[in-house]
Amino acid sequence: MSNVLNTLTEEQIQQFRTEGYLIVKGLFSEEDVRIIENKFEEISHQTIPGLFEPVLDGSTNDPLKRYPRVMHPHRFDETAKQYLLHKPVMEVLSDLYGEEALAAQSMFYYKPPGSRGQALHQDNFYLQVEPGNCIAAWTAIDAANEENGGLLVVPKTSEHELSCPEMADSSESFTTHYVKPPKDQKAMPVIMDKGDVLFFNGNLIHGSYRNKTKDQFRRAFICHYANVSATHINTHYRPLFRQDGTAVDLEINANGGPCGIDFEMAYPH
């Protein structure tokens, strides 16, 4: 592991290792946030088969059908790819990993008013990065809080093994999987300002509230990364990219994770 830190302090590294997550304030500038806002406002009026399929004709009352999450926007949009490989993010990741990071996935959540949250889960259950782990970089495009559906984390569960999920409450979660926190450990809200980035370990149990507001979106640009020494990943996250945009293909992880190959993975995550 490298002993030279690009961006973080030793205290920040220690917090990530102990708690499983770290907020880096203002890692995206106001200009970065504005560019991302404008790009995904433009995308919100389009249909990208298999990656973003909103109901645009006004025939749905479900806000998440009008504004579903955008999957892998870096695969069809250069601005999204630029921010997937954003140098400040990649430098933080290299500090956290102690080695180069590879970009595996991008997503954009609009989280419109009234929309359901996402049940508690663990990211590496889906990405299946081995050896090592995935790390998420969750960027607040709007300020995120308890009212508009901000993120929840269960501190210190980064050391918790990957769990076979239970079924989630579909009235509160738009996803089907739920991972129960360990006994005596509770989810806590993460309060973030625009441009803040939350980094968290792939085993950390996390999710989000319902957006209880009537007039606030809670937009977020979310990317997942793997350590360069990893050899395997779930097939849905290939190819990966170095910071310079060079594609890297890890081997497909086909072991099925903690639930075996017969468990429905319910991709996409």
Side-chain angles (χ1 to χ4, degrees), residues 215-240:
D215 58 358
Q216 294 178 38
F217 281 70
R218 189 236 61 192
R219 296 167 297 178
F221 182 63
I222 305 162
C223 299
H224 289 96
Y225 301 85
N227 44 294
V228 73
S229 59
T231 57
H232 290 71
I233 196 169
N234 184 294
T235 187
H236 297 291
Y237 304 93
R238 299 161 74 241
L240 293 82

Side-chain angles (χ1 to χ4, degrees), residues 19 21 120 146 150-155 186-191 207 209:
E19 302 296 319
Y21 68 95
L120 295 173
E146 295 179 62
L151 217 63
L152 297 160
V153 299
V154 184
K186 294 182 179 179
M188 57 162 276
V190 180
I191 310 302
Y209 292 106

Side-chain angles (χ1 to χ4, degrees), residues 28 31-32 35-36 79-86 221 225:
F28 280 61
E31 176 69 3
D32 294 327
I35 290 169
I36 294 169
T79 299
K81 187 172 182 180
Q82 172 192 337
Y83 283 106
L84 168 71
L85 302 174
H86 195 39
F221 182 63
Y225 301 85

Side-chain angles (χ1 to χ4, degrees), residues 6-26:
N6 293 300
T7 301
L8 300 181
T9 65
E10 289 291 351
E11 289 76 17
Q12 288 174 307
I13 297 280
Q14 191 57 40
Q15 183 194 323
F16 183 83
R17 290 176 180 163
T18 303
E19 302 296 319
Y21 68 95
L22 174 71
I23 296 175
V24 179
K25 302 291 291 181

Side-chain angles (χ1 to χ4, degrees), residues 96-196:
L96 295 175
Y97 276 129
E99 61 183 20
E100 182 185 354
L102 300 176
Q105 183 192 31
S106 61
M107 295 187 290
F108 190 86
Y109 283 48
Y110 293 94
K111 195 72 176 282
S115 57
R116 290 167 290 164
Q118 187 170 10
L120 295 173
H121 63 282
Q122 297 166 291
D123 287 348
N124 208 42
F125 178 80
Y126 305 94
L127 276 85
Q128 298 180 304
V129 172
E130 290 182 346
N133 210 329
C134 65
I135 293 178
W138 197 104
T139 302
I141 303 303
D142 296 301
N145 53 55
E146 295 179 62
E147 286 300 305
N148 71 0
L151 217 63
L152 297 160
V153 299
V154 184
K156 296 183 170 63
T157 51
S158 50
E159 297 302 316
H160 192 60
E161 290 186 1
L162 294 178
S163 300
C164 197
E166 304 171 10
M167 286 299 294
D169 178 357
S170 61
S171 68
E172 289 299 323
S173 174
F174 74 89
T175 51
T176 57
H177 290 170
Y178 168 69
V179 172
K180 189 175 182 179
K183 189 177 180 182
D184 301 326
Q185 290 181 267
K186 294 182 179 179
M188 57 162 276
V190 180
I191 310 302
M192 299 173 67
D193 295 316
K194 273 190 173 195
D196 293 351

